[in-house]
Amino acid sequence: MKPILFSLHALLPTALVCLALANASVLSAQQPANTTEPLWPDGIPGVTLTGVGDVPELIITKADSDSPTAAVVILPGGGYGGHAMGHEGYEFAAWFHSMGMSSAICTYRLRGKGNDGKGYGHPAPMQDAQRAIQTLRARAKELNIDPNRIGVIGFSAGGHLCSTVSTHFADADPSSADPVQRVSSRPDFSILCYAVLSLGKPHTHKGSQRNLLGDNPDPALLASLDTPTQVSENTPPTFLFHTAKDTAVPVENSLLYYRACVDHKVPVEMHLFNDGAHGLGLAKKVDGANQWPSLCQTWLTRLGMVKP
């Protein structure tokens, strides 16, 4: 009897396919279902282009609940030049879903692709983030969301955008033909993760400032987007997370915002850790910093956003 010979090369494609299917199954099990839709379905103000980067979207993940839930707009970082969609986008949509909260990742316009390669600076990102909050609030019944429990979370430059919409609000216009504009953009809570908050300061992340405002911004505009100076009594309850070893966006950004919240009697909680570089996301592999998600969940529970 001749021995049966197996070819490794013949088996390899099948093995790779099986591995890919297994990985896909794991990912699909971890990532809840979502829907993607344009943020401005009737046209973006001042934009007629429809190429990559021109059409901001909402990636909506609905919680499974018989009663209305809290919701959050997710603003991934990327220096106002890109979107860190994995560890600062989809992973957080899954995290909020596990807590019974709905979410919407907002792919806001930025200084990347789009606008025939020119990209978008201020006020486009702010307009998109404000619109995202308003959209969830205006469609609260449809999405099974409590319109009074809608917050925002941002990371790095997305954290700056998060702080911007937490200090600059699009007021409700009851007479607007657009139902989204009939509600306010003020978030009910704000979560700032290793956020770029100060502009025009020695500890500013220069790349984010340049992408947002250009090389020589108007001093008044620059000052208006230095968000620790924009905190007021109307700023929503705020949670901050940062690390001392973040050399890209120094911890001074969070310290100043925290101080401003205290001075204006804004409910605020801040957690600082020594270890961990910039861009940690959920910080699963960093001892110390990996406590921040559970601390944040406890904070959200105290706010009434998450069930105990």
Side-chain angles (χ1 to χ4, degrees):
M1 179 182 295
K2 293 183 179 180
I4 300 175
L5 299 179
F6 292 95
S7 169
L8 180 59
H9 293 288
L11 292 175
L12 190 56
T14 301
L16 290 175
V17 168
C18 292
L19 180 59
L21 290 173
N23 288 336
S25 297
V26 171
L27 289 173
S28 62
Q30 294 175 342
Q31 184 62 46
N34 58 58
T35 58
T36 301
E37 55 189 66
L39 177 63
W40 302 86
D42 297 323
I44 308 165
V47 177
T48 58
L49 301 171
T50 57
V52 176
D54 292 308
V55 184
E57 296 178 323
L58 284 181
I59 303 168
I60 299 173
T61 302
K62 292 177 62 176
D64 302 318
S65 176
D66 293 330
S67 57
T69 70
V72 59
V73 170
I74 302 172
L75 302 171
Y80 281 119
H83 296 116
M85 293 296 288
H87 71 292
E88 293 173 356
Y90 291 110
E91 285 192 15
F92 278 87
W95 182 61
F96 284 113
H97 186 268
S98 73
M99 290 188 283
M101 293 177 65
S102 292
S103 68
I105 304 170
C106 177
T107 58
Y108 54 92
R109 286 168 288 167
L110 38 69
R111 191 77 65 187
K113 295 178 181 179
N115 195 18
D116 284 339
K118 297 178 182 178
Y120 298 88
H122 181 78
M126 181 181 72
Q127 291 172 339
D128 291 345
Q130 289 174 336
R131 175 84 180 185
I133 298 166
Q134 289 174 295
T135 297
L136 294 188
R137 186 162 284 137
R139 295 171 55 190
K141 185 175 181 180
E142 169 199 347
L143 296 172
N144 197 31
I145 288 171
D146 182 343
N148 298 312
R149 292 192 292 155
I150 298 174
V152 64
I153 185 172
F155 309 84
S156 192
H160 179 264
L161 183 53
C162 181
S163 70
T164 300
V165 297
S166 297
T167 53
H168 299 72
F169 313 129
D171 295 328
D173 180 4
S175 64
S176 176
D178 181 359
V180 173
Q181 294 183 1
R182 296 176 199 160
V183 296
S184 169
S185 75
R186 180 188 178 274
D188 297 303
F189 62 90
S190 179
I191 303 172
L192 305 174
C193 304
Y194 43 86
V196 177
L197 298 169
S198 297
L199 297 189
K201 300 293 192 297
H203 52 273
T204 295
H205 185 259
K206 299 299 192 297
S208 295
Q209 177 177 305
R210 183 171 56 254
N211 281 334
L212 183 65
L213 298 176
D215 290 323
N216 298 294
D218 175 77
L221 178 59
L222 183 67
S224 73
L225 295 173
D226 177 30
T227 57
T229 67
Q230 303 302 302
V231 171
S232 72
E233 64 277 4
N234 293 322
T235 299
T238 300
F239 181 100
L240 299 108
F241 150 60
H242 219 126
T243 65
K245 289 187 177 180
D246 187 338
T247 58
V249 178
V251 71
E252 282 79 7
N253 285 268
S254 290
L255 293 172
L256 287 171
Y257 199 94
Y258 175 82
R259 182 73 256 175
C261 286
V262 171
D263 290 345
H264 289 87
K265 296 181 171 52
V266 174
V268 62
E269 183 167 317
M270 179 169 63
H271 293 279
L272 306 179
F273 302 92
N274 185 63
D275 297 331
H278 187 67
L280 286 177
L282 288 167
K284 296 176 182 177
K285 298 181 180 180
V286 181
D287 289 342
N290 58 8
Q291 301 175 55
W292 89 261
S294 62
L295 292 167
C296 186
Q297 181 172 350
T298 300
W299 178 77
L300 287 168
T301 302
R302 289 202 306 273
L303 284 184
M305 303 298 162
V306 175
K307 291 182 180 179

